[in-house]
Amino acid sequence: MKPESRKQEIINAASILFKEKGYSAVTMRDLAKAMGIKAASLYNHIQSKQEILATIIIELAEEFTTGMNRIVNSEKSTIQKLENIIDLHIDVTLRNADGLASLNNDWMHLEEENLQYFEKMRQDYEENFRNIVQKGVDKSEIRSYNIEIMVFSTLSTLRTLYLWYPKQNDIDAAILKHDMMSVLLKGVV
Amino acid sequence: MKPESRKQEIINAASILFKEKGYSAVTMRDLAKAMGIKAASLYNHIQSKQEILATIIIELAEEFTTGMNRIVNSEKSTIQKLENIIDLHIDVTLRNADGLASLNNDWMHLEEENLQYFEKMRQDYEENFRNIVQKGVDKSEIRSYNIEIMVFSTLSTLRTLYLWYPKQNDIDAAILKHDMMSVLLKGVV
DNA sequence: GTCTATATGACGATAGAC
DNA sequence: GTCTATCGTCATATAGAC
């Protein structure tokens, strides 16, 4: 275990609570109680409740953006790119499943610049995904069903991994990746 | 247009607001403003904010339960049953996409009996789904990937339809059903 | 770094006039 | 059926002692 800063401990505790009840329903008193301190004491480590949410979401969104950019710029086949995207989602989910709940369900409570920044990253991510699938169809690497439905279907599954994976006790990450690729790609290839 | 009761108008307006910001972040004052009246006036038609949430969610959950029971008790092949489940989700989504946001994201804010009732229905639904897939694998009607992953993947996509379908302008319901079946089932059959 | 005390405002909901 | 006025509670956040 690396020693965690008090701020990071707060963010981790908040991620769990936000996952259970959502950002708006979690109070600073709830969070303080989970940390074993009083609400006022939280403000020695963080500036606001909003800052906690932004830290959780923006960090994760940037991970996805970085990962997707690397995949897009790689010289790989469409199938390999899709495999890398599945990999990316599974890796992030394993590392921070709790935070992904906020990214998926509470992004609309971000304020101003962070909201715009997040929405831009999400839009770019989806567009990159769509372009990869489209190019695969053009090159006859994958079947030509409705592109939107293929993109939507795959992304829905990957985005919901955070809800499902922590409930599976004894499934190995490597096996998960393999089976996930089979199920998601066999419908497409 | 059928004439709607004032209560139903409130529930419909609430469904839209809950979809946009989530149950906890929507105030009775927000809802009243959307209706063009004052917050206090809402209470002539509904008993509480909680009652609105419960009405939205329980009604939809019962639709899914009824539909699933009919499918389970039918004498059809596994493939046909899966097609019927996809049909069910698309039909409910077309009829009440806004309400499905609450069912998916705000069920944890239900209180007492309604929370238990909902959780029981959801658990039964997933178990019925899993049993249909399992039986299909046993009878070699569908491929034997990891059952949990197939169930999770399909259900994730169907449950997220409410987010995606309203954004697609000109896609016909029949075409949607057909392509959705292809994408979801070809990965399985 | 945590505490007590508190400022300031918003929340869900009710009472009673019209 | 809608209004104004208001109650009691809880929200985020700050000030300042220890």
Side-chain angles (χ1 to χ4, degrees):
Chain A
M1 299 269 194
K2 64 181 169 193
E4 273 177 353
S5 74
R6 205 89 177 99
K7 180 169 178 174
Q8 192 58 51
E9 286 182 54
I10 291 172
I11 288 168
N12 292 345
S15 297
I16 295 172
L17 293 177
F18 290 170
K19 177 178 180 177
E20 289 169 355
K21 303 201 299 176
Y23 174 73
S24 301
V26 174
T27 71
M28 295 305 273
R29 292 181 230 274
D30 292 335
L31 179 53
K33 183 170 276 182
M35 294 286 298
I37 59 179
K38 297 291 177 184
S41 307
L42 293 169
Y43 289 88
N44 262 293
H45 308 282
I46 52 103
Q47 291 201 330
S48 65
K49 188 186 176 188
Q50 171 68 205
E51 186 204 3
I52 299 175
L53 182 70
T55 303
I56 294 170
I57 294 179
I58 298 298
E59 192 172 290
L60 281 166
E62 287 176 341
E63 280 190 61
F64 280 116
T65 296
T66 304
M68 176 60 93
N69 286 341
R70 194 165 41 232
I71 293 166
V72 165
N73 294 323
S74 68
E75 303 283 343
K76 299 246 175 88
S77 70
T78 299
I79 302 300
Q80 281 175 311
K81 284 181 180 171
L82 291 177
E83 285 179 353
N84 288 339
I85 291 173
I86 293 171
D87 247 2
L88 172 61
H89 277 265
I90 290 176
D91 286 343
V92 174
T93 301
L94 290 176
R95 211 177 322 123
N96 190 2
D98 298 320
L100 283 173
S102 298
L103 181 136
N104 276 296
N105 302 319
D106 283 320
W107 59 267
M108 72 286 282
H109 299 118
L110 291 173
E111 288 171 357
E112 303 296 336
E113 298 89 357
N114 276 328
L115 178 58
Q116 290 172 32
Y117 180 41
F118 170 80
E119 289 187 313
K120 177 76 163 63
M121 283 194 279
R122 194 186 47 168
Q123 188 186 314
D124 289 348
Y125 189 90
E126 288 181 12
E127 194 147 314
N128 280 323
F129 199 132
R130 194 175 296 110
N131 287 340
I132 289 173
V133 173
Q134 179 68 61
K135 213 174 276 180
V137 170
D138 293 346
K139 295 193 288 183
S140 298
E141 291 184 74
I142 62 179
R143 287 197 203 135
S144 76
Y145 291 126
N146 183 310
I147 301 259
E148 291 305 321
I149 291 181
M150 289 193 293
V151 169
F152 157 72
S153 167
T154 309
L155 217 38
S156 292
T157 299
L158 294 176
R159 282 179 172 156
T160 321
L161 258 176
Y162 80 96
L163 273 179
W164 172 80
Y165 184 72
K167 286 196 287 191
Q168 307 299 315
N169 295 344
D170 299 320
I171 193 164
D172 182 73
I175 295 175
L176 172 64
K177 284 180 188 179
H178 176 266
D179 283 2
M180 190 68 73
M181 287 180 198
S182 299
V183 171
L184 290 182
L185 297 181
K186 284 281 165 29
V188 161
V189 179
Chain B
M1 301 267 193
K2 66 183 168 193
E4 272 176 356
S5 75
R6 205 84 175 101
K7 180 169 179 174
Q8 192 59 51
E9 287 181 53
I10 291 172
I11 288 169
N12 292 345
S15 297
I16 295 172
L17 294 177
F18 292 169
K19 177 177 180 178
E20 288 169 355
K21 303 203 297 177
Y23 174 74
S24 300
V26 174
T27 71
M28 296 303 275
R29 288 166 176 82
D30 292 335
L31 179 54
K33 184 171 275 183
M35 295 286 299
I37 57 179
K38 296 292 176 183
S41 307
L42 293 170
Y43 289 88
N44 263 291
H45 308 283
I46 51 103
Q47 290 201 332
S48 65
K49 189 186 177 189
Q50 172 68 206
E51 185 203 5
I52 299 174
L53 182 70
T55 303
I56 294 170
I57 294 179
I58 298 298
E59 192 173 292
L60 281 166
E62 287 176 342
E63 279 190 62
F64 280 116
T65 297
T66 304
M68 176 61 92
N69 286 340
R70 192 166 42 231
I71 293 166
V72 165
N73 293 324
S74 68
E75 303 283 343
K76 300 245 176 89
S77 71
T78 299
I79 302 301
Q80 282 175 311
K81 283 180 180 171
L82 291 177
E83 285 179 351
N84 287 340
I85 291 173
I86 293 171
D87 245 1
L88 173 61
H89 277 264
I90 291 177
D91 286 343
V92 174
T93 302
L94 288 177
R95 211 176 322 123
N96 189 2
D98 297 320
L100 283 173
S102 298
L103 181 136
N104 276 294
N105 302 318
D106 283 319
W107 59 266
M108 72 286 280
H109 299 117
L110 291 174
E111 288 171 357
E112 303 296 337
E113 299 88 358
N114 277 329
L115 178 57
Q116 291 172 31
Y117 181 42
F118 171 80
E119 289 186 314
K120 176 77 164 64
M121 283 193 279
R122 193 186 47 168
Q123 188 185 315
D124 289 348
Y125 189 90
E126 289 182 10
E127 195 148 313
N128 280 323
F129 199 132
R130 194 175 295 111
N131 287 340
I132 289 173
V133 173
Q134 180 69 61
K135 212 173 278 181
V137 170
D138 293 346
K139 294 193 286 182
S140 298
E141 291 184 76
I142 62 179
R143 288 195 203 137
S144 76
Y145 291 125
N146 184 309
I147 302 258
E148 291 305 322
I149 292 181
M150 288 194 293
V151 169
F152 157 71
S153 168
T154 309
L155 217 38
S156 291
T157 299
L158 294 176
R159 281 179 172 155
T160 321
L161 258 177
Y162 79 96
L163 274 180
W164 173 80
Y165 184 72
K167 285 196 290 191
Q168 307 300 314
N169 295 344
D170 299 321
I171 192 164
D172 183 71
I175 294 174
L176 173 64
K177 284 180 187 179
H178 176 266
D179 284 2
M180 189 68 71
M181 286 180 199
S182 299
V183 171
L184 291 181
L185 296 180
K186 284 281 163 31
V188 161
V189 179

